[in-house]
Amino acid sequence: MKNLEINAKLQIAKPRNEVFDAIIDPEKMSNYFISPGADKMEEGKSVIWGFPEFPDMKIDVKILKLKIPELIIFEWEGSKDRDLEVKIELEERPNNQTLVKLTEGKMEPNEEGITWLGRNTEGWANFLACMKAYLEFGINLREGGFDFMKKPE
């Protein structure tokens, strides 16, 4: 049986350089994915991502490769105690459109792997939808979307 890998794609009606910048620039990314305060992604460096809905969650993201404006590769703890590689490819499409292709993995096809596959596939699909809404319409879809998961005060 093959190892599990996440694959998600979405086309965004913005030029590739603008989409690339929205991913590596934390000021822009904080409008659709992470909490404010992270450093800009730079090849060979690490940044810490926090998430507005989960103030105790901090994730170390190691940037392995940046190829402006077409490729971002980083490693993070994609599953508990497992560093996984995430690859984001930006493909230029006609009429200033960009196809964002994202892969993460790989994990064994066992209970842990299947749990990771479901959770992170949902997360990356949400990431892409939120980025599209922000870049095309200036909307933060994520805001309030995960309030049901917060610990009661």
Side-chain angles (χ1 to χ4, degrees):
M1 195 175 235
K2 288 177 26 176
N3 282 339
L4 304 171
E5 181 178 77
I6 292 169
N7 291 286
K9 297 178 190 173
L10 191 66
Q11 187 163 302
I12 297 177
K14 290 292 177 180
R16 184 166 64 165
N17 63 329
E18 197 172 321
V19 176
F20 184 89
D21 195 46
I23 297 169
I24 67 163
D25 183 341
E27 191 173 315
K28 292 178 181 158
M29 195 187 260
S30 69
N31 288 297
Y32 68 91
F33 189 56
I34 61 172
S35 298
D39 291 325
K40 188 171 184 172
M41 293 175 117
E42 293 181 37
E43 189 170 313
K45 298 202 174 179
S46 290
V47 297
I48 303 294
W49 282 352
F51 298 89
E53 309 84 2
F54 313 107
D56 298 334
M57 181 187 289
K58 303 287 183 222
I59 297 178
D60 185 36
V61 178
K62 298 173 190 100
I63 294 64
L64 303 177
K65 184 171 186 168
L66 294 179
K67 186 174 180 186
I68 301 167
E70 59 195 68
L71 180 67
I72 300 162
I73 301 175
F74 63 86
E75 186 176 76
W76 72 343
E77 187 177 355
S79 186
K80 185 162 175 43
D81 301 323
R82 302 289 288 282
D83 286 341
L84 299 172
E85 185 177 283
V86 175
K87 181 178 179 181
I88 303 172
E89 297 175 274
L90 305 174
E91 180 184 306
E92 230 172 14
R93 305 290 294 168
N95 302 316
N96 278 325
Q97 304 270 329
T98 302
L99 178 60
V100 182
K101 299 187 281 188
L102 190 145
T103 58
E104 181 183 4
K106 298 180 175 176
M107 295 273 290
E108 298 78 30
N110 55 26
E111 188 174 335
E112 178 189 6
I114 291 168
T115 299
W116 159 81
L117 184 71
R119 181 187 61 240
N120 285 27
T121 298
E122 179 182 0
W124 288 120
N126 181 268
F127 165 83
L128 292 172
C130 289
M131 181 169 53
K132 180 177 179 70
Y134 167 67
L135 287 174
E136 292 183 15
F137 305 103
I139 299 168
N140 185 341
L141 281 183
R142 192 169 171 110
E143 191 174 328
F146 295 97
D147 286 352
F148 69 95
M149 297 176 75
K150 288 182 181 179
K151 293 177 185 173
E153 294 180 24

